[in-house]
Amino acid sequence: MDRVRRAVDGAMIFTSLLLLAWPAMAGDARGAAALSIGTGTVVLLSVGVLALTRRWPLVQYTPVAAALLTAAFELARHGTVSRGLAWLVLAVAAIILVRQFLGARTNEGLVRDLTRQRAQLARQAFRDPLTELGNRKLFMDHATDALADADDTMTAVILFDLDGFKEVNDTYGHATGDELLRTAAERLTANVRTNDTVSRLGGDEFVVLLPRLVDDRIADTVAHRILRDLSQPLVVGDTVLTIPASAGIALTRGSGMAVDDVMREADLALYQAKADGKGVARRFDPAQFAVAEKRRQEEADLRRALDAGEFEVHYQPIVDLDGERTVGVEALVRWNHPERGLLPPVAFLDLAETLGLLPRLGGWVLEEACRQAAVWQVQEPGFELNVNLSASQLGNPALVDEVRAVLERTGLPPALLVLELTESVALVDLIESARVLSALKSLGVRIALDDFGTGFSSLSHLGTLPVDVVKIDKSFVQAMQEGNGASVAEAVLQIARTFNLAPVAEGVEDAAQASRLRELDCAQAQGYHFARPMPAADLTSLLSRQSALSA
């Protein structure tokens, strides 16, 4: 059509220019030569005008207007026009009509193209190109309308996430993964009503909207039916696959809840389904949500606290039972929470370990405590410092280098640093633990086994682990006043002496326990009977009073 239109435009320009030149070409004194020369000139001018129309399209109408004005002038002057000129006028008029017709057809084609393009853009805006399901935008629009029109009925949102989809892509390729997604879309659509909405939110996550429910159990039924159908085998080429999935269900009655809030509840329910072993559907539970919300807040607070410097090191005295003089301390971290006050380690250490923050926190405690202990050496030469090691710290390949660097920076003599770890931490990988602890001992530090006697195999490991000190668990100390409890504590002390280890009793709470430990020849102890963990300034004051008494 474009070629025909361009040809008609050329004919219109040529005819118009020929009409303009006709009086000069066809006069009484003109011959065939003049006619040929004039026609050639008109052809050249037509080519020139056509060239100009590529940049200025309206130029093509200039010869037409001039030709029609010339014909009108001739008619007005002579009252008539020559036959040739009349035919040229008719030709120009005819060509203009044809041009208008072609223009109308072209406009119709443009309108159809634009309509088709708009429809395609609208489809792309609301449809997922891979599965032909609605996309997130379509779902949000439908969900907003459904909630607005819910009246006293319920609206359910079910989120589905395919379990192990990344492994399918990695193992079998993206073509297989795409086929899996298309099949999942078909099985989802087959299990809902015509007025329900199924959309792909992205990746391997799908969502189903069930509007105007009168029975909340329908949502559970639909979710379980879809999970059952998704788990049916799927053959892709020579590969047999399944599409296991997890589902999270959120329900709301009426129109009082925003779509984003319903989606958030469904997402939390999906998270719970994943945590419960996958392949199951779970409803949103407000109680679980409160727990999850509290945990998220605690995680955020803990991360912020590390950056804000909200942690403190407190020190619990370790005393020589012969005279109850403080000879060392155990460094214990505390969180000075801006709202909850001073928190003990039990309130945050497990969470810090889960979040992978314990190596950073433990490293800070080690350096802070070593720096303070180096200061106390001036006041109390030979004063020992015990610092706990976590499982994640023990598994840190750079632990030995970090301890060496801390000792160099703080100036604390290595022999005065005792690194504590529990038997359960050491047994995560006994051989590796023995290697790391031996490397630490090569720095000159000592190793203590905390909670000694509570494990099932302490004896067998005392010969493997390079331990210097054993800390007798407080449960044995507390049991000394009960029947044969003293014999258990005595047996633990005897084991320590057999392996030439220095014993320290933990959890001493009264004078009777301290006295009994002296009778059992336990050299050192710690517990609330002697002192609670305290800030560095308070311990400095305690050491000053102690020095004054011994002067």
Side-chain angles (χ1 to χ4, degrees):
M1 182 63 74
D2 287 342
R3 291 182 179 179
V4 174
R5 192 183 67 252
R6 286 195 295 270
V8 171
D9 288 343
M12 182 175 65
I13 292 169
F14 173 76
T15 308
S16 300
L17 291 173
L18 186 61
L19 190 151
L20 288 170
W22 186 257
M25 292 167 54
D28 295 337
R30 307 293 190 272
L35 189 61
S36 298
I37 294 172
T39 302
T41 303
V42 169
V43 170
L44 292 175
L45 289 173
S46 299
V47 172
V49 173
L50 281 172
L52 291 174
T53 59
R54 293 178 182 176
R55 185 168 184 181
W56 298 291
L58 294 179
V59 169
Q60 64 183 322
Y61 295 106
T62 303
V64 177
L68 294 177
L69 287 173
T70 299
F73 178 74
E74 288 291 324
L75 181 62
R77 190 175 64 170
H78 301 293
T80 183
V81 294
S82 65
R83 181 178 296 178
L85 192 60
W87 281 111
L88 285 173
V89 172
L90 290 173
V92 171
I95 292 172
I96 290 174
L97 290 174
V98 172
R99 180 66 178 81
Q100 286 297 104
F101 173 76
L102 293 176
R105 292 292 301 274
T106 301
N107 291 338
E108 289 177 4
L110 289 173
V111 170
R112 284 196 301 272
D113 290 343
L114 288 172
T115 303
R116 190 182 304 112
Q117 290 174 6
R118 286 173 181 167
Q120 186 175 0
L121 288 173
R123 184 176 182 81
Q124 291 174 352
F126 290 96
R127 291 287 170 183
D128 171 50
L130 177 63
T131 63
E132 294 297 318
L133 293 177
N135 58 14
R136 181 183 293 272
K137 181 173 176 54
L138 179 71
F139 168 78
M140 295 300 286
D141 288 350
H142 283 199
T144 301
D145 293 342
L147 288 174
D149 194 39
D151 298 327
D152 194 39
T153 62
M154 288 176 289
T155 304
V157 170
I158 311 175
L159 277 179
F160 292 90
D161 187 84
L162 305 188
D163 300 327
F165 178 72
K166 182 180 183 299
E167 287 74 15
V168 172
N169 267 343
D170 293 343
T171 304
Y172 302 105
H174 289 279
T176 300
D178 289 348
E179 183 61 28
L180 201 70
L181 292 173
R182 283 190 286 266
T183 302
E186 293 171 0
R187 294 180 182 180
L188 281 160
T189 305
N191 282 284
V192 299
R193 304 167 300 179
T194 55
N195 64 322
D196 297 333
T197 300
V198 181
S199 294
R200 180 188 176 206
L201 298 180
D204 60 341
E205 192 172 40
F206 297 84
V207 63
V208 172
L209 174 69
L210 306 176
R212 302 192 70 80
L213 298 179
V214 295
D215 188 344
D216 63 333
R217 291 173 295 181
I218 294 175
D220 300 299
T221 301
V222 171
H224 288 103
R225 189 170 62 222
I226 289 174
L227 290 180
R228 185 191 64 234
D229 279 9
L230 285 175
S231 65
Q232 297 304 308
L234 165 67
V235 179
V236 181
D238 297 329
T239 305
V240 179
L241 300 171
T242 57
I243 318 176
S246 302
I249 306 168
L251 286 138
T252 181
R253 182 179 292 276
S255 57
M257 200 169 185
V259 177
D260 286 340
D261 293 334
V262 182
M263 286 289 289
R264 183 162 173 258
E265 291 186 356
D267 192 56
L268 289 168
L270 177 60
Y271 179 84
Q272 188 60 49
K274 294 279 190 182
D276 288 347
K278 302 180 181 180
V280 296
R282 291 289 182 266
R283 271 201 201 187
F284 170 73
D285 184 343
Q288 288 182 339
F289 167 72
V291 172
E293 189 69 16
K294 180 182 177 183
R295 181 178 177 84
R296 272 192 295 274
Q297 185 60 49
E298 289 175 347
E299 290 176 359
D301 283 352
L302 191 57
R303 295 181 189 278
R304 177 193 50 75
L306 268 174
D307 295 329
E310 294 179 1
F311 291 96
E312 301 176 0
V313 181
H314 285 206
Y315 302 89
Q316 184 170 35
I318 298 174
V319 302
D320 184 345
L321 283 172
D322 185 12
E324 296 190 359
R325 178 183 178 86
T326 301
V327 294
V329 289
E330 179 181 354
L332 299 168
V333 66
R334 297 290 187 267
W335 180 4
N336 192 1
H337 195 285
E339 297 175 359
R340 299 163 61 189
L342 199 64
L343 302 180
V346 69
F348 59 86
L349 282 188
D350 286 345
L351 180 59
E353 183 81 88
T354 302
L355 296 176
L357 299 176
L358 212 47
R360 179 184 169 191
L361 178 59
W364 176 81
V365 170
L366 177 65
E367 181 142 4
E368 182 70 16
C370 286
R371 182 175 289 108
Q372 181 59 56
V375 174
W376 284 327
Q377 296 308 308
V378 178
Q379 187 176 0
E380 290 284 336
F383 194 76
E384 294 182 354
L385 169 68
N386 287 37
V387 178
N388 293 281
L389 287 181
S390 67
S392 55
Q393 284 178 285
L394 192 64
N396 178 10
L399 174 64
V400 177
D401 292 335
E402 290 177 1
V403 173
R404 180 188 295 109
V406 167
L407 290 171
E408 291 174 353
R409 285 194 297 267
T410 60
L412 180 69
L416 299 179
L417 175 61
V418 181
L419 297 175
E420 295 187 20
L421 72 160
T422 63
E423 184 183 16
S424 59
V425 168
L427 291 182
V428 172
D429 186 339
L430 181 61
I431 296 176
E432 179 62 14
S433 295
R435 186 193 69 78
V436 174
L437 294 178
S438 296
L440 288 170
K441 280 181 65 69
S442 69
L443 299 177
V445 305
R446 294 191 295 158
I447 305 298
L449 193 62
D450 200 5
D451 300 337
F452 180 69
T454 59
F456 291 103
S457 50
S458 297
L459 286 177
S460 63
H461 296 136
L462 282 178
T464 304
L465 297 172
V467 177
D468 303 287
V469 179
V470 290
K471 302 193 76 173
I472 302 171
D473 187 70
K474 63 181 180 181
S475 62
F476 299 126
V477 174
Q478 304 299 323
M480 287 191 304
Q481 297 170 327
E482 302 173 4
N484 63 350
S487 61
V488 176
E490 185 175 7
V492 173
L493 285 167
Q494 185 58 46
I495 292 170
R497 295 189 191 99
T498 300
F499 285 90
N500 196 29
L501 304 174
V504 178
E506 293 184 294
V508 180
E509 295 184 352
D510 55 45
Q513 292 172 357
S515 176
R516 186 68 181 120
L517 287 168
R518 289 190 196 94
E519 294 173 2
L520 296 175
D521 292 328
C522 180
Q524 296 181 351
Q526 66 185 94
Y528 287 177
H529 171 62
F530 308 109
R532 292 175 177 269
M534 62 188 74
D538 292 348
L539 187 64
T540 300
S541 299
L542 175 65
L543 294 178
S544 297
R545 291 194 300 272
Q546 180 176 283
S547 298
L549 290 173
S550 61

